[in-house]
Amino acid sequence: MVKFGRQKAEPQDVESHLRQFLGKPFSTLNEALPDGAVIRLHGFAEVPNDGQVTMVTDGLASLARQHGWARRDGYAQELLFVLDGQFMGPDMLDFVMSCAARYAQQGRLLSWDEPVRLDVDVPSSSGMRFLLPTPAALFEENFQFATGPTGETNFCLLVPAYEVEADLLASRGPEHLFDVLDEQDVDVSDLRRSALRIRGHGLT
């Protein structure tokens, strides 16, 4: 789950990249930030697997470059959520857009070893109050980065998680967490899944 794809590609914008790899979105929502910048949220049905919905932001990476919180080489991030279709609805769309707005307001890139703590539970979840930034390894490798004239855009998958999983990430690092997710065959799109079994993984 930790593998990155960095195959060289022709420069293209985020929306063109998404359409190339995910197809035509079934919806696109626009959200204006207080400074007037606009974030788009594209929704794709039946990807990466049947019954799943993928939501991807478009506009955060360019915002990061404009306001100086992208990396010096232009590397920046868009946010990606993959959910079982049964959990989709207005509350979930509002939640994802609020995460994007919060990311823009914080003005810094996400780190693979730093869980995102939420003020409320993820809608429809059974007590998930964290999002874990991970590579988008549910998708083919060439999807994970979009090459553009101003820098590389990474699609960062945010995995809804329980506190014990966030603690495991913080204490043992991302590679160990991803190994445990793989070992226990966790479906990260299921908001009502059981928490990871962490006995023997450095937590009590």
Side-chain angles (χ1 to χ4, degrees):
M1 190 167 178
V2 75
K3 191 175 182 184
F4 277 127
R6 288 179 178 272
Q7 198 162 349
K8 214 162 189 183
E10 291 299 316
Q12 59 183 174
D13 62 24
V14 168
E15 185 171 358
S16 296
H17 183 85
L18 295 176
R19 285 176 177 267
Q20 177 185 345
F21 288 96
L22 304 184
K24 183 179 179 180
F26 68 82
S27 72
T28 296
L29 302 176
N30 297 317
E31 178 81 5
L33 300 177
D35 65 358
V38 175
I39 302 169
R40 291 170 295 283
L41 181 65
H42 303 294
F44 299 87
E46 309 299 326
V47 289
N49 298 304
D50 291 346
Q52 294 179 332
V53 173
T54 291
M55 291 176 287
V56 195
T57 63
D58 178 4
L60 292 176
S62 61
L63 196 67
R65 296 182 186 109
Q66 292 166 16
H67 292 276
W69 43 279
R71 236 168 38 189
R72 292 184 68 178
D73 62 0
Y75 169 93
Q77 296 166 327
E78 296 290 352
L79 306 183
L80 176 73
F81 292 77
V82 175
L83 300 168
D84 189 294
Q86 66 177 305
F87 302 117
M88 284 303 301
D91 288 348
M92 183 58 68
L93 291 172
D94 288 346
F95 169 75
V96 172
M97 196 63 96
S98 72
C99 289
R102 174 180 168 179
Y103 174 86
Q105 289 159 8
Q106 286 182 168
R108 65 185 182 90
L109 299 175
L110 296 174
S111 171
W112 305 125
D113 57 3
E114 187 177 342
V116 176
R117 181 186 292 271
L118 303 171
D119 297 326
V120 297
D121 289 356
V122 177
S124 300
S125 76
S126 50
M128 294 176 171
R129 280 214 166 196
F130 291 85
L131 297 172
L132 309 184
T134 74
L138 297 176
F139 299 84
E140 61 179 282
E141 291 182 10
N142 293 350
F143 166 75
Q144 296 180 38
F145 289 88
T147 302
T150 55
E152 200 172 46
T153 297
N154 169 238
F155 296 92
C156 177
L157 175 64
L158 290 175
V159 176
Y162 297 99
E163 184 172 6
V164 67
E165 297 161 351
D167 289 345
L168 186 62
L169 173 62
S171 65
R172 297 296 302 276
E175 290 193 27
H176 183 81
L177 173 68
F178 302 150
D179 285 344
V180 178
L181 288 170
D182 284 341
E183 287 170 10
Q184 299 186 20
D185 197 23
V186 171
D187 177 1
V188 297
S189 75
D190 183 359
L191 298 179
R192 294 186 185 143
R193 64 177 175 83
S194 299
L196 283 177
R197 303 181 299 277
I198 50 79
R199 184 177 296 277
H201 290 283
L203 297 175
T204 56

